[in-house]
């Protein structure tokens, strides 16, 4: 009973549990190599863009909205950063800051459309996705460009004993923690929890949504920059998978799509879970596939099947996330949560 | 029964209101239709041939294909509960792949192919329904994950490359025309509209589907088996989408893995532009078909306009935003 | 309560980190003559062409395995996700392989990892798509030459004048861009050929069909169609359905389904054959790459002059461009139709360089 | 202090308010009365900034006041506690109470200690025992209502609007709240009190404003009027006439047992409840809110599962796994929460009426729309439902008419047993009487009825027999001459047990 209560009261717990499970399986299939700093570094540096995208998505989902355009926004940031540095020979700092600004502006645009035009965000961001990927293609019609090796080796390297990407993620987490201490942090959850109540309490929900999308755009911009540093190049199609993957990470992390419940901790765990799944599948097939006869020629299909199935299994853990009360069978007082239950 | 007092002198639901409500509800579809016509006219300015009967026929048959994929989507969106089915594209692809693999050009294999396609679609729907209703995974994510699995299954089934082609009769229907403006596919589309209308308006299932979408708790307490109705929407969606795959290869004459995926998000857009609210409980399939026509005309128009791919995508997005802003805005909280 | 769990997790992770520092294992690397560990990173396997490439490579790898030259050959697919590919590459580097062949998700974007791999002495090779990195040899079909053959042929067929429609593939995809450039360069020499309309069909026959159908409304009067692979079947279907006359000439791909369609058209209209061209873009390029990699691992040196620069990467001399040799027109169409009769519809006309041809590249 | 003059508001073609006026003085407690659909809640929402007015003026201290959002209203010291609550279920009690006016410290950060403390003070003033860190979704409705009041008080308003907040409170909670409000009146707080319960109005309020059809009919001093004056102002009819029109309930002659429960146990809520119900009987379930009545009804219906106990329905032991099973066995259920559990808001009157009937028909039976249409028209006529026609959406009807739709839904299937969970909550007095008459008629035609109600008068009025619940047990059974208000109230409060129940 206590465990059940615990599960239901910690928004991010499903994500942590899933991640712990994935880590254990990963250790089993990878062996002791897992426990090397280099391994952690590679996991974090490769997955930092998804982690950041998941954080960006979480903030929007907390307000009860969704952002499909995160992937194309990351692409736009990537192409702008590369174009300015390579074609116009701007300094890296300037071009990357400009790209970050562009990512934030896309967030502002989404916010304006969702909050003030009141178009359902699923469709609004589906439309902006088209606009933004068009812009990315216009900025950089074909893949190319490079990032100075100092930048990408710093990105993939260490800083004071920890992988650089861990610091980057920690900075964003700290930033969000500070924002959460401001009223806006509460308002974001209030708007997602019950928009009408938030409004009746005097909260300007349009501004809250605009803020959430703007912040999300900013973090998406950082995600795009992480992707640029990881890939060290520009590509007008590179961010495509991040839109839906970031949503999957958010759900895996225990945040509920209807808003108001969840947190970025879970989403980070969810994103890492997705990263570890491809790791697990890699090691399973690298270390053990040879032992099973008959899957040699088509093994690559089964890699996909396996990782898809693991992800579905993870999603089923959404059972543990509490829902908005649905009124059937009197759940006004939650089971085991009334005074006399303890 | 007899009541001997009649002091009900307050009348909040006055006559005018109903007319306005009906007009507004009708309006979304009318408006979509108007926009479709407007886009045709703009196309006519770009190129006079755009308005030729042949071209209108071609656009309509392309729209019907999108409309088929959006059929199941319509049911799922009506069923409410944040319902959306992102596996329609994958189910369509699977239907297409199965269709060519089983038919292999033989007319007498049409029936077995149809049976298998529908069964496969139903299986996808059943798995979606189990995930969404039993494990309570949000529909958006469950169907997205299911789409990935279905894609992989196609790869394993076909070893990456579907072989075969549709039966002659099927290909004839898929690409032939009754009149220049009336391809057979459009006739099938009209038939589908009639059947969907019958399902939604003239069966108890459709009746209960709207009820569940409008208020699932109330329906549950009135004895409606909400899980079966809502789950049924996903199962029907899988079946209808797989059938859409059948018509897709009828039109295209060939199949490849994942050929329907490009229809996934447009199917949601078609449903919404056609006047079905994402909140559930309302809407119609004829609206969805009109939404599909709007999107298809827009796509065709962008092809004949003088822009490059980047420009096309940008204009596409901006026009979509404008369309959505014109009539799918949520009401403000403050009235 | 959740704080408690969180602190447990933090504790667990700290322990893991501590153990990991204690256990960090050094990977010794030895030089060897055979028993190589080779891996393929395929960006996607969800299209027939890539799959055929993978299968060709598997066949070659099995042969080498039987000879003991390759000890382990593994394939990983990234599902078109660049970060998944990066992660796979990272893990391959960590686990120590001898060579990595990559058909990249994003052709320009693996530099940091390639640096790492090269530093560890791993041989990295790009196949099918060129990788822009000075230390990486890419084995690709010469896409520029491929497109040039097509465009030149087309210009000749319409007497260097007329209106054409052009179907490109995905804007931003490297092969597409090289081909686009080649088309443009050739057409620049024929000022009387006018491109009425350029569209992108995304290597999707279905989309090609819908595009052609739409284009007919605005541009019914064209002489020829210049298109990359993956579109001609859709285009011809669209034209037939609209009962529109077939173009004076059409370029396209090596899909067997197309060859058969072409054959059937000619059978139906003996007097008026379809004027088409197929230039091979063989999936066997991957197998070629694998054969070259094995020789490089064995310590053989490439002849000078084998390495040239790719049109997309003029700064580096790091490309082995395999010129397309097989060209099918009406002259030899029937012959190839017969030769491929037992292949499935989705087969691509293929060729793998023989051992001898490969050996010619080396000293 | 506050004046609302000639307020008008239309929603589409519907006029919700025309020429409604209201005034409020410091230290005054004014009741706002009116039947459902009279515009009370619209007026309250205008004050709260949730609805914008079309015409008219609001004056605060003689100066025009423009309310453009709830924020404007709160900043002008007007706080509204809403009937449907303005709480966010996923936030804690303390966060909810201080939402929008978080005490901020250095660098503008929210000081959570002060949030908690501020909330705690307010909760203590209201004498609510609730953990300020608990999530609102974990609370029962009564506590949620009190938190809503605390939240309104957090704005330190000069004017407090309470919109039916007492509807789900039990007797002693109401008394404590009233004591607090009377105290606050001394310090100059003006209170606008909206309620359907006349006894509360008479015990708390100084003055009353009565709305009818969106217009202010009268503004009176409570001490100068009585019950029937107010009814007359609200309805335009004198209550005597209505009373005279009531049908006398007759006890059915047949006494075969339709339903019997023995030792029914629902986790934490219902403890070993046994009861027998005879055919054609109307059994009332009384008691304070949340003593297990609702759970008992829902356990019978299969909407919540019971862990122990046996149920015999129609002579056979049964245990329904879902309401669907119960409906197929001839049981109906009406919830008082029509918004969440009653009507299908965007669907038509017809569809609402035929819902239960359709649920009985399986999935792929065909529907004859003409037959539906005439059937619906007949029911609309029979139940005197005020609607434009069978096709108008349910949310265009007033609350009382919406609830009649739900009743009509079961009238169509003629269940053997009808369960009602506080069916007339928030329904105005006329519609309530009509619903009662319908129930009596159904009982005469053999339908057995079990009804729970938070309104004692309703129970005494309609039930042949009343079972009183206290802490999940039946503590009293009142019939015939025991059926008095005094007996009922004392049993509700857990004193003076007459029968039933059992262990201590």
């Amino acid at each position: 009973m206590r465990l059940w209560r615990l599960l239901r009261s910690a928004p991010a717990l499903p994500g942590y549990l899933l991640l712990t499970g994935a880590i254990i399986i990963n250790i089993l299939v990878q062996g002791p190599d897992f426990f090397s700093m280099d391994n952690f570094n590679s996991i974090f540096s490769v997955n930092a863009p998804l982690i950041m995208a998941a954080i960006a998505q979480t903030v929007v989902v907390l307000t009860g909205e969704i952002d499909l355009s995160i992937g194309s926004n990351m692409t736009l940031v990537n192409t702008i950063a590369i174009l300015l540095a390579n074609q116009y020979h701007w300094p890296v700092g300037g071009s990357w800051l400009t790209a970050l600004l562009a990512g934030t502006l896309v967030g502002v645009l989404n916010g304006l459309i969702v909050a003030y035009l009141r178009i359902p965000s699923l469709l609004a961001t589906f439309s902006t996705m088209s606009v933004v990927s068009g812009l990315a293609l216009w900025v950089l019609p074909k893949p190319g460009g490079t990032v100075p090796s100092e930048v990408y080796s710093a990105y993939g390297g260490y800083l004071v004993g920890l992988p650089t990407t861990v610091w980057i993620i920690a900075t964003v987490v700290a930033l969000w923690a500070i924002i959460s201490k401001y009223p806006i942090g509460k308002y974001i959850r209030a708007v997602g929890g019950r928009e009408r109540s938030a409004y009746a309490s005097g909260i300007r929900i349009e501004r809250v949504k605009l803020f959430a999308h703007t912040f999300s755009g900013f973090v998406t911009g950082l995600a795009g920059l992480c992707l640029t540093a990881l890939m060290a190049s520009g590509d007008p199609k590179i961010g495509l998978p991040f839109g839906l993957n970031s949503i999957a990470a958010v759900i895996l992390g225990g945040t509920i799509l209807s808003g108001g419940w969840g947190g970025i901790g879970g989403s980070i765990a969810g994103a890492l879970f997705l990263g570890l799944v491809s790791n697990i599948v890699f090691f399973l097939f690298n270390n053990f596939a040879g032992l099973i006869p008959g899957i040699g020629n088509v093994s690559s299909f089964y890699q996909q099947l396996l990782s898809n199935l693991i992800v579905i299994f993870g999603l089923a853990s959404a059972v543990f996330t509490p829902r908005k009360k649905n009124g059937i069978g009197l759940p006004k007082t939650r089971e085991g949560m009334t005074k006399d239950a303890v | 029964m007899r009541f001997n007092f009649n002091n009900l002198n307050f009348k909040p639901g006055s006559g005018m209101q109903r007319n306005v409500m009906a007009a507004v509800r009708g309006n979304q579809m009318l408006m979509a239709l108007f926009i479709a016509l407007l886009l045709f006219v703009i196309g006519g300015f770009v190129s006079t041939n755009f308005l030729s009967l042949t071209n209108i026929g071609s656009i309509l048959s392309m729209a019907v294909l999108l409309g088929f994929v959006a059929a199941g989507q319509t049911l799922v969106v009506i069923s409410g509960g944040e319902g959306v089915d992102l596996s329609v594209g994958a189910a369509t692809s699977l239907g297409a792949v199965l269709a060519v693999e089983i038919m292999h050009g033989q007319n007498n294999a049409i029936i077995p192919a149809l049976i298998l396609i529908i069964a496969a679609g139903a299986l996808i729907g059943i798995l979606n329904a189990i995930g969404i209703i039993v494990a309570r995974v949000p529909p958006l994510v469950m169907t997205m994950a299911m789409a990935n699995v279905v894609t992989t299954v196609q790869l394993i089934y076909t070893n990456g490359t579907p072989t075969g082609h549709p039966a002659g009769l099927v290909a004839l229907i898929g690409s032939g025309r009754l009149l220049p403006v009336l391809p057979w596919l459009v006739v099938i589309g009209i038939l589908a509209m009639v059947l969907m209308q019958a399902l939604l308006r003239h069966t108890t299932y459709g009746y209960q589907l709207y009820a569940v979408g409008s208020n699932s708790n109330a329906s549950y307490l009135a004895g409606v088996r909400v899980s079966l109705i809502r789950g049924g929407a996903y199962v029907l969606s899988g079946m209808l989408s797989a059938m859409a795959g059948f018509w897709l290869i009828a039109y295209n004459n060939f199949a490849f893995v994942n050929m329907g995926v490009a229809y996934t998000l447009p199917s949601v857009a078609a449903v919404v532009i056609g006047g079905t609210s994402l909140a559930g409980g309302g809407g119609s399939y004829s609206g969805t078909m009109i939404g599909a026509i709007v999107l298809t005309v827009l796509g065709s128009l962008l092809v004949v306009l003088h822009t490059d791919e980047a420009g096309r995508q940008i204009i596409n997005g901006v026009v979509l935003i404008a369309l959505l802003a014109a009539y799918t805005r949520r009401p403000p909280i403050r009235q | 309560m959740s704080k408690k769990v969180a602190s447990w997790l933090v504790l667990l992770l700290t322990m893991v980190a501590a153990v990991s520092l204690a256990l960090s294992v050094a990977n010794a690397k030895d030089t060897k003559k055979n028993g190589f560990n080779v891996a393929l990173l395929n960006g996607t396997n969800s299209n027939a062409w890539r799959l055929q490439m993978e299968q060709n490579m598997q066949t070659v790898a099995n042969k080498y395995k039987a000879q003991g030259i390759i000890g382990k050959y593994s394939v990983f697919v990234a599902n078109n996700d660049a970060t998944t590919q990066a992660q796979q590459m990272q893990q391959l580097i960590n686990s120590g392989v001898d060579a990595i062949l990559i058909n990249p998700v994003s052709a320009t974007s693996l530099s940091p990892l390639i640096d790492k791999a090269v530093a560890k002495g791993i041989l990295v090779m790009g196949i099918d798509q060129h990788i822009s990195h000075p230390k990486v040899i890419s084995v690709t079909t010469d896409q520029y030459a491929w497109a040039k053959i097509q465009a030149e042929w087309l210009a000749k067929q319409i007497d260097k004048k007329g209106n054409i429609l052009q179907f490109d593939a995905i804007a931003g995809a490297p092969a597409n861009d090289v081909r686009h450039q080649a088309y443009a360069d050739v057409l620049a020499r024929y000022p009387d050929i006018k491109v009425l309309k350029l569209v992108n069909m995304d290597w999707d026959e279905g989309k090609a069909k819908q595009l052609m159908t739409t284009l007919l409304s605005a541009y019914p009067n064209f002489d020829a169609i210049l298109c990359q692979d993956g579109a001609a079947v859709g285009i011809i279907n669209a034209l037939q359905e609209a009962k529109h006359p077939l173009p004076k000439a059409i370029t396209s791909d090596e899909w067997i389904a197309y060859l058969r369609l072409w054959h059937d058209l000619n059978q139906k209209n003996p007097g008026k054959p379809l004027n088409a061209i197929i230039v091979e873009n063989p999936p066997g390029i991957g197998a070629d790459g694998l054969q070259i990699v094995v020789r490089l691992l064995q310590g053989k040196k490439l002849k000078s002059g084998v390495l040239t620069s790719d049109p997309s990467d003029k700064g580096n001399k790091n490309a082995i461009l395999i010129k397309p040799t097989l060209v099918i027109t009406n002259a030899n169409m029937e012959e190839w139709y017969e030769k491929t009769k037992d292949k499935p519809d989705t087969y691509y006309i293929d060729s793998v360089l023989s051992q001898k041809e490969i050996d010619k590249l080396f000293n | 202090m506050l004046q609302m003059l000639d307020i008008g508001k239309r929603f589409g073609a519907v006029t919700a308010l025309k020429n409604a006026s209201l005034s409020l003085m410091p230290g005054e407690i004014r009741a706002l009365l009116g039947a459902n659909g009279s515009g009370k809640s619209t007026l309250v929402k205008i004050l709260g900034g949730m609805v914008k007015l079309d015409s008219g003026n609001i004056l605060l201290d003689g100066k025009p006041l423009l309310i453009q959002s709830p924020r404007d209203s709160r900043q002008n010291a007007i706080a509204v506690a809403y009937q449907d609550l303005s709480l966010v279920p996923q936030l804690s009690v303390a966060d909810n109470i201080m939402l929008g006016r978080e005490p901020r410290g250095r660098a503008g950060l929210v000081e959570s200690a002060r949030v908690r403390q501020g909330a705690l003070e307010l909760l203590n003033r209201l004498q609510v025992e609730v953990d300020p860190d608990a999530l609102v979704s974990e609370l029962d409705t009564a506590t949620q209502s009190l938190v809503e009041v605390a939240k309104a008080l957090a704005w330190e308003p000069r004017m407090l609007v309470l919109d039916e907040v007492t509807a789900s409170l039990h007797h002693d909670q109401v008394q404590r709240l009233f004591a607090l409000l009377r105290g606050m009146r001394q310090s100059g707080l003006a209170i606008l009190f909206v309620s359907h319960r006349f006894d509360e109005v008479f015990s708390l309020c100084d003055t009353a404003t009565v709305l009818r059809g969106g217009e202010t009919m009268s503004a009176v001093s409570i001490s100068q009027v009585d019950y029937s004056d107010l009814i007359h102002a609200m309805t335009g009819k004198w209550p005597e006439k209505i009373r005279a029109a009531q049908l006398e309930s007759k006890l059915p002659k047949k006494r075969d047992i339709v339903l019997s429960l023995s030792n029914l146990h629902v986790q934490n809520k219902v403890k070993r409840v046994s009861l027998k119900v005879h055919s054609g009987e109307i059994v009332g379930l009384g008691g304070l809110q949340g003593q297990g009545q609702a759970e008992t009804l829902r356990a019978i219906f299969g909407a919540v599962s019971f862990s122990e106990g046996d149920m015999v329905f129609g002579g056979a032991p049964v245990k329904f796994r879902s309401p669907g099973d119960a409906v197929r066995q001839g049981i109906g259920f009406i919830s008082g929460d029509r918004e969440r559990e009653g009507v299908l808001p965007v669907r038509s009157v017809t569809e609402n009426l035929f819902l239960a009937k359709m649920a009985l028909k399986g999935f792929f039976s065909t529907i004859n729309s003409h037959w539906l249409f005439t059937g619906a028209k007949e029911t609309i006529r029979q139940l005197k439902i005020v609607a434009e026609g069978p096709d108008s959406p349910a949310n265009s009807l007033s609350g009382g008419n919406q609830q009649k739709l739900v009743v009509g839904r079961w009238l169509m299937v003629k269940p053997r047993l009808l369960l009602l969970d506080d069916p007339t909550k928030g329904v105005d007095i006329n519609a309530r009487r009509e619903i009662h008459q319908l129930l009596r008629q159904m009982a005469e035609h053999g339908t057995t009825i079990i009804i729970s109600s938070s309104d004692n008068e309703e129970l005494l009025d309609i039930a042949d027999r009343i079972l009183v619940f206290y802490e999940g047990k039946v503590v009293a059974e009142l019939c015939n001459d025991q059926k008095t208000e005094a007996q009922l109230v004392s049993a509700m409060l857990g004193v003076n047990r007459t029968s039933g129940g059992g262990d201590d």
Side-chain angles (χ1 to χ4, degrees), chain D residues 250-252 254-256 258 277-282 416 442-449 464:
Chain D
K250 284 175 251 164
L251 280 177
K254 287 184 290 177
R255 302 288 290 172
D256 49 327
V258 172
V277 186
H278 304 91
S279 91
E281 192 181 19
I282 301 182
R416 286 151 77 197
M442 287 176 84
E444 273 168 30
H445 286 85
T447 297
T448 307
I449 290 170
D464 301 321

Side-chain angles (χ1 to χ4, degrees), chain D residues 25-63:
Chain D
M25 306 285 286
E28 179 186 358
I29 304 184
R30 178 176 286 273
L32 181 60
L33 301 170
N36 281 86
S38 62
K40 293 189 308 284
S41 46
T42 309
L43 200 63
V44 167
K45 282 178 183 159
I46 286 175
L47 267 183
M50 296 294 282
V51 169
K52 58 178 162 225
L53 48 80
D54 294 338
S55 60
N57 295 302
I58 303 174
L59 302 178
L60 186 66
D61 302 324
K63 277 171 261 167

Side-chain angles (χ1 to χ4, degrees), chain D residues 444-470:
Chain D
E444 273 168 30
H445 286 85
T447 297
T448 307
I449 290 170
I450 307 179
I451 176 172
S452 88
S453 178
S454 56
D455 184 345
N456 291 343
E457 206 181 319
E458 175 168 56
L459 282 178
L460 293 167
D461 203 30
I462 193 169
D464 301 321
R465 185 156 63 100
I466 301 172
L467 301 173
V468 185
F469 277 70
Y470 184 73

Side-chain angles (χ1 to χ4, degrees), chain B residues 124-143:
Chain B
I124 296 172
I126 288 168
L127 294 175
N128 273 331
I130 288 173
I132 292 160
I133 288 152
V134 181
R136 301 197 304 167
V137 181
L140 184 83
V141 186
M142 181 66 212
T143 53

Side-chain angles (χ1 to χ4, degrees), chain A residues 208-229:
Chain A
V208 173
K209 284 190 182 175
L210 181 59
F211 175 85
H213 276 99
T214 307
F215 182 73
S216 167
F218 172 74
V219 180
T220 306
L222 289 176
L225 293 182
C226 285
L227 188 63
T228 311

